[in-house]
Amino acid sequence: MKKWWIVAMAALVLGGCGGGLSVKRVDTDTEVALTDRWNDEDSRLVSEAMIEDMLTFPWLRDFSDEHPDRRPVIVIQRVRNKSHEHIATDTFINDLKRALMRSGRADFIVGGKERSDVREELRGQDLYASEESRKEMGEELGADFALSGTITSIVDQFKGSKVIFYQVDLKLIDLQSTREVWSGQKKLKKVSERSRFGL
């Protein structure tokens, strides 16, 4: 009888340790880092810092001097993930777009599949939309510059300690001359320590 009571109490205590799942809503600007992996805050901070740096380089002043009546037009081509983990590069690209558009100092046009989808919509309008509302083919805004880059990482680990080093490299290319007018680099380092008690 005594053994049964001990087993029952142990099961009750161990079962209670798992607890229930608690979920709460937090502001989207609040950083929530559950792991040492690349997260939404990293994406936002890196994109804002790099666009801010890009807009301070001489290419923007030179363009404005040559074209005082308009802002430069930029298309984001591709950001390749060469890191050790899965990174949602679409999220990072969207953060770059937001930072660029928020600056008000350059215009942005879509590229890749988005551009193909827009062209398909225009073809549909050519067939089905009224003449008054139809948008013309061949009136796209051409890009002056193309933005592309890579995300890489290095992992160093020893016993319970781990350091992850991320490096984001972006470059801006003048489409007319193929000249690289800006090269930006942002580095992040994350250190994590695992408790020797496993907690």
Side-chain angles (χ1 to χ4, degrees), residues 3-174:
K3 288 183 181 179
W4 175 87
W5 183 82
I6 293 173
V7 171
M9 288 301 294
L12 183 62
V13 170
L14 290 175
C17 287
L21 178 63
S22 174
V23 178
K24 64 178 180 177
R25 290 181 177 83
V26 296
D27 190 277
T28 54
D29 291 333
T30 302
E31 181 177 6
V32 180
L34 300 179
T35 70
D36 54 11
R37 298 168 68 87
W38 176 277
N39 61 30
D40 62 316
E41 186 71 2
D42 298 325
S43 178
R44 184 185 67 80
L45 291 174
V46 169
S47 62
E48 289 179 357
M50 296 195 84
I51 292 299
E52 182 179 347
D53 181 66
M54 183 184 79
L55 294 174
T56 64
F57 268 58
W59 69 271
L60 183 58
R61 182 198 61 227
D62 295 343
F63 185 90
S64 297
D65 289 345
E66 191 174 340
H67 307 277
D69 56 332
R70 69 181 184 90
R71 296 178 294 196
V73 179
I74 298 174
V75 62
I76 298 178
Q77 290 187 318
R78 181 170 63 165
V79 177
R80 289 180 293 170
N81 176 25
K82 293 185 172 182
S83 74
H84 70 289
E85 67 185 70
H86 171 74
I87 292 178
T89 54
D90 285 349
T91 301
F92 180 60
I93 289 172
N94 286 335
D95 284 337
L96 286 172
K97 292 177 185 178
R98 282 179 53 78
L100 182 60
M101 289 187 284
R102 190 185 300 117
S103 75
R105 302 181 66 192
D107 288 326
F108 168 78
I109 62 169
V110 297
K113 187 178 185 310
E114 283 181 289
R115 181 160 49 198
S116 298
D117 290 343
V118 169
R119 288 174 178 168
E120 187 62 34
E121 171 64 24
L122 285 175
R123 280 189 284 272
Q125 285 194 14
D126 197 41
L127 289 173
Y128 303 112
S130 66
E131 190 169 342
E132 300 79 29
S133 64
R134 182 183 304 141
K135 305 302 178 289
E136 297 293 328
M137 298 282 286
E139 295 295 324
E140 294 179 19
L141 191 61
D144 300 300
F145 300 92
L147 183 65
S148 62
T150 58
I151 303 173
T152 56
S153 65
I154 299 171
V155 180
D156 190 16
Q157 190 167 6
F158 181 72
K159 294 185 178 178
S161 301
K162 182 163 68 168
V163 178
I164 303 179
F165 171 79
Y166 295 98
Q167 181 169 309
V168 181
D169 291 284
L170 295 177
K171 58 185 175 182
L172 189 68
I173 304 294
D174 183 320

